[in-house]
Amino acid sequence: MKIAFFTESGFVGKIPRNYSNMRTDVAWMCALDAMHYPIDHIHTVNDYFDLGIVIIPKNKDSLYEYPLIDNMRSVCKKIATMQESTYWYWQGGTVQTQLWYHSILQSMDIIYCHNDMDIKYYRGITDVECRLLPTLMITDHIKTYDGSRSGVMVGGNWVTAYRGFDSYIIGKILSDQITSPTTGRMKTDETLLDINHLPWVDWSQWMYELSKCKYGVQLGTAAAGTFNLNCAYLGIPCIGYDNVNTQKYLHPDLSVSDGDIEQARKIAEKLRKDEEFYLYCSNKAKNNYKELYHENKFNTTFKEQFKIS
């Protein structure tokens, strides 16, 4: 099956397995042996694919006048879009841009989603077939810290989508040693907090830095759930919301309903004080990852969807 991805990235080609910045989107391309083309250059593609998957960027200004659907259908037998960010993120635009985006969704053959709740949402607002495209890791070249783990990694900055304040509150229960990644939406005054902010690093270095930590907290809104997945692979117990599939299925004993910080506090206290519970959650996360989110599982599920031998 020939597959193409169309995103805002500027390169043409395939992703090698030793690519150092193996985020989820490029991990999908790598695992599916897919070609990649820039989204605004689909009209130049000189090939034909069984499936084309477009990831529409947050900044859509350059696409409003671009005949995206016609161009995709000219080079693809079936066309699909992959959810970008939270299911509601796109509603931050004008009324016109929201209607444009909805018309794009309605024109697709398939809408791929991150989480169970996302499928329910997109099925509710469209008449299009919705499927999960699980968050994925290519683990061939991961290097991890070989010393003892300490401290907590909180997954996100102090903005609405990440809810970094909530994660900080729970992180402080687990450890006074708090580390956080740096994103493009990080507020400048976050540097005044007692948080060690990692400089921007590629994914390989991120996994190494994460592997130094004993705990993870990601009380952000539902999206890809990459942080929760990375923690599970490393056996780092992660506290998070159960509307994220990688949290709900990989860290079931550490999952709370959206906004239930009270329960998250109780879990954090137990995780810090009860070493047996900590080891149980760590081992369970690693085992769940192997069973549910390993690349082999991803490939099998995808092939079954299209009945590929």
Side-chain angles (χ1 to χ4, degrees):
M1 186 177 188
K2 291 179 63 177
I3 301 173
F5 273 77
F6 310 111
T7 81
E8 63 182 329
S9 296
F11 74 95
V12 174
K14 296 186 177 183
I15 302 293
R17 293 191 70 87
N18 63 350
Y19 183 59
S20 65
N21 198 24
M22 192 69 79
R23 309 177 313 271
T24 292
D25 55 342
V26 291
W28 288 326
M29 298 176 210
C30 180
L32 296 173
D33 192 32
M35 279 292 294
H36 175 273
Y37 299 94
I39 190 173
D40 56 355
H41 282 64
I42 301 174
H43 61 283
T44 68
V45 174
N46 187 26
D47 204 345
Y48 195 76
F49 298 90
D50 299 295
L51 175 66
I53 303 174
V54 63
I55 302 178
I56 298 173
K58 295 181 179 70
N59 185 352
K60 307 170 181 61
D61 293 352
S62 64
L63 296 176
Y64 296 138
E65 303 300 324
Y66 188 72
L68 178 63
I69 301 301
D70 289 344
N71 285 331
M72 287 185 70
R73 289 209 179 277
S74 71
V75 296
C76 302
K77 182 178 180 180
K78 280 194 171 186
I79 64 172
T81 186
M82 177 63 216
Q83 173 187 348
E84 162 66 7
S85 189
T86 63
Y87 67 80
W88 48 261
Y89 189 88
W90 58 277
Q91 295 186 38
T94 65
V95 171
Q96 290 85 354
T97 61
Q98 292 181 51
L99 292 173
W100 173 87
Y101 185 71
H102 184 257
S103 71
I104 293 294
L105 295 177
Q106 285 280 43
S107 301
M108 293 292 167
D109 298 313
I110 303 168
I111 298 174
Y112 282 111
C113 305
H114 291 305
N115 303 293
D116 297 337
M117 65 170 293
D118 301 326
I119 284 185
K120 295 177 181 179
Y121 176 80
Y122 285 106
R123 281 178 179 166
I125 67 167
T126 71
D127 303 313
V128 178
E129 179 184 2
C130 298
R131 299 177 179 177
L132 281 174
L133 192 65
T135 306
L136 179 66
M137 294 172 60
I138 304 295
T139 61
D140 299 14
H141 301 282
I142 291 178
K143 295 181 180 179
T144 58
Y145 180 65
D146 59 5
S148 59
R149 293 176 175 174
S150 62
V152 55
M153 182 73 76
V154 296
N157 302 126
W158 288 39
V159 296
T160 302
Y162 290 124
R163 301 188 195 176
F165 175 86
D166 298 348
S167 294
Y168 175 79
I169 292 295
I170 302 305
K172 289 291 285 184
I173 294 173
L174 293 165
S175 174
D176 287 329
Q177 181 185 340
I178 299 179
T179 303
S180 174
T182 297
T183 71
R185 285 176 280 174
M186 176 180 167
K187 293 178 169 61
T188 56
D189 52 357
E190 287 184 47
T191 58
L192 302 176
L193 299 165
D194 56 339
I195 297 175
N196 171 37
H197 288 97
L198 293 175
W200 188 93
V201 294
D202 67 17
W203 186 77
S204 296
Q205 186 62 33
W206 156 253
M207 288 299 292
Y208 182 80
E209 296 297 330
L210 179 60
S211 71
K212 297 177 181 179
C213 297
K214 186 174 182 179
Y215 310 98
V217 181
Q218 171 57 296
L219 291 167
T221 48
T226 305
F227 181 92
N228 321 64
L229 179 68
N230 295 164
C231 285
Y233 171 81
L234 295 168
I236 299 173
C238 178
I239 298 173
Y241 289 136
D242 61 9
N243 55 14
V244 181
N245 278 20
T246 54
Q247 177 67 33
K248 175 172 62 175
Y249 296 126
L250 299 178
H251 309 275
D253 302 279
L254 306 175
S255 301
V256 300
S257 58
D258 192 352
D260 193 352
I261 303 298
E262 179 182 30
Q263 181 61 21
R265 289 179 67 101
K266 294 176 182 178
I267 291 174
E269 291 282 3
K270 183 176 183 181
L271 195 61
R272 177 173 58 85
K273 296 177 179 178
D274 188 338
E275 185 67 15
E276 185 175 338
F277 179 63
Y278 175 90
L279 293 174
Y280 165 80
C281 292
S282 174
N283 290 327
K284 189 169 187 177
K286 286 188 287 187
N287 290 333
N288 286 346
Y289 167 82
K290 293 174 184 176
E291 180 182 351
L292 302 173
Y293 279 87
H294 190 278
E295 184 184 355
N296 291 341
K297 176 68 174 179
F298 173 87
N299 288 331
T300 299
T301 301
F302 195 89
K303 289 177 180 179
E304 288 174 349
Q305 289 178 348
F306 289 94
K307 296 180 173 58
I308 304 170
S309 58

